[in-house]
Amino acid sequence: MNTRKSHIHLGLFCLALSGFLILAGIPAWVSSPSNVPNVILSPLFWPYVLAGLTALTGLGLLATAFQHPVEGDKLNEDIGDRRAGMLRLAVMAVIMLAAIWAMPRIGMVWTSMAVFAATAFLVQTRHPKTALICAVILPLVLYAFFAHVAGVAVPQGNFVRLP
């Protein structure tokens, strides 16, 4: 399969998924009270935002599909070492299981920091300093927003509590 075909298939899939979520999935499976004072705090808001972003991603994939040549440009021609890929997949599964184990113990913020950093180093980022800075700052900023601005309780751990 070439890049053009894969972009078209993925784009159409994203659009179909987004359409399903907007028309059927979110209205059927996400319940929301009618008296939510702020639209951003509604349980319906973020699923609709994600469905809209999925549709935009699909449109972007379809738009870029026509920038690739019809033939040539084979996708997955050189996939690299299969064993290394399987090892990274296994390590990612361990990172996810460790996150599930750590979340109730040290809380969502600290677990997110560790998972972000571990994933960045697993994929061998070219910007390790930036990844570490983002691993620390993003969870703290999100915690500050949700806990102090939006008034949403962020899960805290048994051992470490944030103000």
Side-chain angles (χ1 to χ4, degrees):
M1 181 179 287
N2 62 25
T3 304
R4 181 180 185 153
K5 271 188 179 175
S6 69
H7 278 213
I8 290 172
H9 289 150
L10 286 172
L12 291 175
F13 175 76
C14 285
L15 288 174
L17 177 66
S18 175
F20 169 75
L21 287 174
I22 291 171
L23 299 175
I26 296 171
W29 295 319
V30 179
S31 60
S32 176
S34 60
N35 61 349
V36 176
N38 191 347
V39 71
I40 294 176
L41 297 178
S42 170
L44 295 173
F45 180 75
W46 291 110
Y48 278 120
V49 167
L50 291 175
L53 290 174
T54 303
L56 285 175
T57 301
L59 290 173
L61 284 167
L62 288 176
T64 59
F66 299 106
Q67 296 176 352
H68 294 286
V70 177
E71 292 301 322
D73 189 24
K74 294 291 183 188
L75 195 61
N76 295 334
E77 203 168 273
D78 180 25
I79 60 171
D81 185 13
R82 193 172 191 87
R83 177 176 274 159
M86 289 300 182
L87 181 62
R88 280 193 305 271
L89 183 62
V91 171
M92 191 66 217
V94 169
I95 290 171
M96 287 186 217
L97 290 173
I100 292 169
W101 179 84
M103 190 87 57
R105 288 160 183 80
I106 62 172
M108 184 177 280
V109 176
W110 301 105
T111 303
S112 298
M113 288 180 194
V115 168
F116 191 116
T119 304
F121 288 114
L122 175 66
V123 298
Q124 298 173 351
T125 180
R126 290 183 285 172
H127 307 287
K129 290 178 186 173
T130 306
L132 282 177
I133 291 169
C134 289
V136 173
I137 291 178
L138 284 176
L140 287 176
V141 168
L142 287 171
Y143 168 77
F145 171 76
F146 282 105
H148 299 294
V149 176
V152 175
V154 177
Q156 298 284 328
N158 294 332
F159 302 118
V160 181
R161 297 233 178 240
L162 292 171

